Amino acid sequence: MEETIAGAQNTQMTGHIPQQRGESLLETAVRYAEERHWDVFPGTWLEAVDGTQRCSCGDTTCPAPGAHPTRPDWATQATGSATVARRMWQKQPTASILLPTGRTFDALSVPESAGFLALARMERMELTLGPVTLTPDRRMQFFVLPGASVKVADLVRKIGWSLSSLDLVALGEGAHVAAPPTRFGSRGAVQWACRPTPANRWLPDAEELISPLAYACGRDR
């Protein structure tokens, strides 16, 4: 779907992610549905108010400005149809791109610092990764097979950790992630730490990644 980030190995080690070329939210949402078979749904968007970018929800203290669902029944909006996705974003071309978890993938969310440490460790272990996002609120989300959210606590316990002691969150059914190039107000845009490619179309199981992620989160406390 997208080329691998140039210098990905150095990116993982240094924490620096190159700027990615811009593309319209509409075309990107359509590609996610068409090429990756991900469900997508439009979220809030940013509006210029007195020279400041504010969330379309109207809340001046919004914690995720321009990057959250617009209504409680957002899950019913999600579609895997490229045609429907195009129609949705034509109505609001600046709407954020949100992906429901618990369908084609779950996500393991960790702090950015732990995420880069885990990426370096995974590289040494020669693990096959799925896509990984980096958000402006300094979180990294590792895409894994669905079902992770119900077994992560047991997986962590088996390797000697308590999930409550780690900043490791499994996002499954009823949750969502914001996809690149969605922006969080003035904080910046969501980026790919590991981009979707044909090579990572088949996602890893949470069990394959839990050890380096738990280790990194433990070091990051």
Side-chain angles (χ1 to χ4, degrees):
M1 174 177 164
E2 297 186 41
E3 295 179 359
T4 305
I5 295 177
Q9 183 173 351
N10 291 335
T11 294
Q12 293 175 7
M13 298 300 293
T14 65
H16 174 69
I17 293 181
Q19 289 294 318
Q20 296 165 37
R21 285 175 294 183
E23 186 175 42
S24 77
L25 289 157
L26 184 154
E27 292 301 331
T28 306
V30 168
R31 286 203 302 131
Y32 289 152
E34 189 171 58
E35 299 178 21
R36 203 71 185 190
H37 305 298
W38 287 338
D39 283 0
V40 297
F41 67 99
T44 53
W45 55 92
L46 296 172
E47 298 176 332
V49 180
D50 296 329
T52 303
Q53 293 288 317
R54 293 186 181 174
C55 186
S56 61
C57 72
D59 183 356
T60 56
T61 61
C62 180
H68 64 86
T70 57
R71 59 196 209 193
D73 63 342
W74 59 264
T76 64
Q77 292 180 279
T79 179
S81 164
T83 301
V84 176
R86 183 176 297 278
R87 191 180 307 134
M88 286 177 166
W89 268 270
Q90 282 175 339
K91 293 179 181 178
Q92 182 48 255
T94 58
S96 53
I97 303 173
L98 305 180
L99 312 175
T101 50
R103 299 188 183 185
T104 51
F105 65 87
D106 279 6
L108 302 178
S109 176
V110 300
E112 174 188 308
S113 52
F116 279 113
L117 177 61
L119 280 175
R121 194 173 178 86
M122 290 171 186
E123 181 183 353
R124 292 194 297 271
M125 296 169 69
E126 298 184 347
L127 294 178
T128 300
L129 292 178
V132 182
T133 62
L134 173 62
T135 67
D137 57 356
R138 305 182 71 82
R139 302 289 297 183
M140 292 182 76
Q141 293 155 343
F142 292 72
F143 289 22
V144 294
L145 289 172
S149 61
V150 300
K151 61 184 181 182
V152 160
D154 284 340
L155 292 174
V156 168
R157 192 178 304 113
K158 287 178 181 178
I159 57 175
W161 294 93
S162 166
L163 189 58
S164 62
S165 69
L166 302 177
D167 188 359
L168 193 165
V169 180
L171 303 173
E173 187 174 357
H176 65 275
V177 298
T182 295
R183 297 191 66 83
F184 279 53
S186 60
R187 283 177 264 169
V190 183
Q191 299 184 67
W192 289 116
C194 293
R195 299 188 184 194
T197 68
N200 64 21
R201 184 173 296 278
W202 300 103
L203 300 176
D205 189 276
E207 189 168 0
E208 300 173 59
L209 306 187
I210 203 66
S211 178
L213 283 173
Y215 170 81
C217 288
R219 285 280 302 272
D220 197 53
R221 290 185 300 176

